[in-house]
Amino acid sequence: MKVLLTGAAGFIGSRIALAAAERGHDVVGLDARGGDGVHTLDLRTDPLDAVLGDVDVVCHQAAMVGNGVDAQDLPGYAAHNDVGTAELLAAMARAGVKDLVLASSMVVYGDGRYDCPEHGDVPPAPRREDDLAAGWFDPRCPVCGGDVTWRRIGEDTPFRPRTGYAASKVAQEHFADAWCTLEGARTIALRYHNVYGPGMPADTPYSGVAAIFRSALARGEAPRVFEDGAQVRDFVHVDDVAQANVLSIEQVADHPSGVTPYNVASGHPFTIGRMAEVLAEAGGGPAPVVTGDYRAFDVRHVLASPDAAAERLGFRASVHPEDGLARLATDPLRTRWE
């Protein structure tokens, strides 16, 4: 198939390009920053019709990434992620291209879902300042204020975006859904968990926590772990993410009209504290320091079920976080945000 890949020079996009080419697909890469063998095009402002002429499927990875620093980042996320996606979808409609694989994110779920012994499945209540100051970091039941336990969430979990990036990802899925309705088209939205691996951007406020810790160790500094380090995440290797995209490229035409979301995760719960320990041990650096610092808006636990992707796409992650994060200790990182 002929695949138009946006964000082809980026961290994830570059690995998708390699994986898709290895499967025999003809990949046409676009990226606003350019790159080897990549067309330099900005989705927001440059004409796209010429590059869409004989394309079978679009794999859309281009985005402003990270969770943002403050509210001043909101216009940037809307301009890059949402306007860019809207322009791309409009061009796809003109070209008659009806299959899209969209890079979404688990951040659309916010802080996930929890189980309360009395009230069952509940969203978390906003964390209270007095709890945080006292070192109690887990959320409480929004009904009774009692203790809750995290649980895995499925793709039917309601959206609860907490940041500008998360809101832009929700909007991208909604734009895709509207395009599908208008055009009788199909979209697979891949909701990535915490992606890591070689080529991660380093030393920016928008880097993932794994890259931030890795950069600290490279400077000879101890990783500084917020809260108590017991925050639960799912770390999924970039090569597994690339494989999920290739499977989606090959199967999106067999999906029904509309947006079909899939969680893309390793399936292995991992705490932030343990991640820092693995990196430090593998890299021979100083042990992590658990600071107790906190930000009220941070997500405490979010972990999604990978079962739908396994059953319907045939995707199962092959890299266990214990192994992949150990390799990250010596993997090369990008020195600028891309």
Side-chain angles (χ1 to χ4, degrees):
M1 286 189 293
K2 188 167 186 178
V3 180
L4 183 68
L5 173 63
T6 74
F11 166 46
I12 297 174
S14 60
R15 307 297 274 207
I16 294 171
L18 290 172
E22 287 174 357
R23 294 274 288 204
H25 299 298
D26 180 10
V27 179
V28 178
L30 305 183
D31 200 287
R33 295 176 175 84
D36 293 340
V38 172
H39 296 276
T40 305
L41 285 174
D42 190 319
L43 298 178
R44 299 166 296 170
T45 56
D46 293 331
L48 302 172
D49 300 75
V51 294
L52 281 163
D54 57 351
V55 163
D56 298 303
V57 57
V58 173
C59 184
H60 182 31
Q61 305 294 314
M64 179 178 172
V65 298
N67 272 328
V69 178
D70 56 38
Q72 301 311 308
D73 290 315
L74 293 173
Y77 284 116
H80 283 85
N81 299 356
D82 302 333
V83 173
T85 298
E87 293 287 357
L88 174 63
L89 294 172
M92 290 173 67
R94 292 192 297 272
V97 180
K98 296 187 181 294
D99 291 318
L100 173 69
V101 177
L102 173 67
S104 187
S105 172
M106 57 84 185
V107 297
V108 299
Y109 301 127
D111 207 357
R113 304 288 295 191
Y114 291 76
D115 285 323
C116 171
E118 183 175 353
H119 297 101
D121 174 21
V122 293
R127 297 195 294 176
R128 299 183 339 209
E129 180 62 33
D130 58 336
D131 278 347
L132 295 170
W136 180 265
F137 301 113
D138 283 324
R140 298 181 181 275
C141 174
V143 181
C144 66
D147 294 349
V148 292
T149 55
W150 64 266
R151 67 177 184 83
R152 293 185 186 273
I153 52 179
E155 288 83 353
D156 58 350
T157 301
F159 292 147
R160 297 193 73 190
R162 297 165 63 93
T163 66
Y165 175 64
S168 75
K169 285 296 173 183
V170 171
Q172 282 184 308
E173 290 201 29
H174 285 326
F175 275 120
D177 205 15
W179 167 74
C180 288
T181 299
L182 293 167
E183 297 295 318
R186 297 162 291 271
T187 296
I188 289 178
L190 298 177
R191 295 174 180 167
Y192 305 156
H193 273 247
N194 295 75
V195 187
Y196 71 95
M200 288 183 74
D203 294 320
T204 95
Y206 301 93
S207 296
V209 65
I212 292 171
F213 288 173
R214 164 74 168 74
S215 297
L217 288 164
R219 297 190 300 268
E221 301 170 2
R224 296 181 61 81
V225 180
F226 277 20
E227 301 184 9
D228 56 0
Q231 310 94 304
V232 178
R233 298 289 189 273
D234 186 302
F235 294 95
V236 59
H237 195 274
V238 66
D239 288 340
D240 282 326
V241 172
Q243 179 64 17
N245 274 274
V246 172
L247 290 170
S248 298
I249 287 166
E250 295 172 347
Q251 297 179 51
V252 62
D254 299 326
H255 280 62
S257 178
V259 174
T260 304
Y262 292 111
N263 296 323
V264 177
S266 75
H268 299 286
F270 222 73
T271 67
I272 298 291
R274 179 58 188 154
M275 181 267 288
E277 290 173 353
V278 169
L279 285 173
E281 291 165 3
V289 175
V290 178
T291 68
D293 295 339
Y294 60 85
R295 299 178 300 187
F297 61 82
D298 277 343
V299 170
R300 177 61 175 173
H301 309 299
V302 61
L303 205 74
S305 169
D307 291 345
E311 294 166 4
R312 297 164 64 185
L313 280 181
F315 169 73
R316 285 274 187 200
S318 62
V319 181
H320 194 289
E322 195 83 29
D323 301 321
L325 288 167
R327 295 203 299 268
L328 183 65
T330 54
D331 280 338
L333 304 185
R334 295 189 182 201
T335 56
R336 65 186 181 93
W337 181 36
E338 298 186 70

